[in-house]
Amino acid sequence: MLGHMVVVLDTDVIVAAVVSSTGASRFLLQEIGLGRLAGAASVPLLLEYEAVLKRPETLRRARGTVDDIDVILDQLAATLRPVPIWYLWRPMLRDANDDMVLEAAANAAATQLVTFNVRDFGAAPARFGIEVCRPAELARRLRDGQE
């Protein structure tokens, strides 16, 4: 496992990992699955992953079925550290779904919140000592041994 790093993945990263077999999002998910990177998620965040992954458009893009998604979700539930929500930090952001991701990251004492929508999170994560980064950025650092 890589140091004390704990990551929380935004839903857009999970979708990218499921839709494309290559790329940084898939790499990060594989690192979590292999136990080389600690990932965390709250129950509300896992339910958000499920809702978005099971949308018809996402299933079409992933060329998968609801049963395929259930297998992926079971694997995520087994490998991501469960995050109990002890403190509600909402609202801090414009989007309630982004607040949910930040809340999971804050309660997990995450070091990184990984998203494609870095600007949506603004300065709020820094209050909790959380770095917001894009999947490619974190994947590059992991591959280069910087983390």
Side-chain angles (χ1 to χ4, degrees):
M1 186 122 21
L2 295 164
H4 68 287
M5 182 187 296
V6 176
V7 300
V8 169
L9 305 176
D10 196 357
T11 307
D12 58 358
V13 176
I14 298 293
V15 170
V18 170
V19 168
S20 174
S21 62
T22 61
S25 297
R26 177 67 69 98
F27 171 77
L28 294 175
L29 215 52
Q30 288 171 331
E31 291 297 291
I32 290 169
L34 293 170
R36 294 194 292 236
L37 178 62
S42 63
V43 170
L45 186 54
L46 283 169
L47 292 171
E48 169 76 3
Y49 292 169
E50 178 179 30
V52 174
L53 289 174
K54 288 184 176 180
R55 287 178 184 162
E57 178 192 327
T58 308
L59 289 170
R60 183 184 51 71
R61 289 177 55 213
R63 293 183 229 53
T65 65
V66 169
D67 289 340
D68 295 333
I69 297 302
D70 284 337
V71 170
I72 293 166
L73 291 166
D74 287 347
Q75 185 65 29
L76 285 170
T79 57
L80 294 173
R81 189 176 78 196
V83 178
I85 302 299
W86 296 106
Y87 298 102
L88 299 177
W89 301 105
R90 303 176 199 204
M92 293 189 86
L93 306 170
R94 285 188 308 259
D95 182 329
N97 288 332
D98 290 341
D99 264 331
M100 176 181 47
V101 178
L102 177 57
E103 196 168 80
N107 280 279
T111 52
Q112 277 84 14
L113 189 159
V114 185
T115 182
F116 286 101
N117 303 313
V118 171
R119 275 183 277 139
D120 291 351
F121 288 91
R127 295 181 191 169
F128 303 100
I130 300 167
E131 174 195 13
V132 179
C133 58
R134 289 179 176 81
E137 215 179 307
L138 184 57
R140 189 178 319 100
R141 292 190 337 226
L142 292 173
R143 287 180 177 131
D144 293 346
Q146 295 175 12
E147 293 290 343

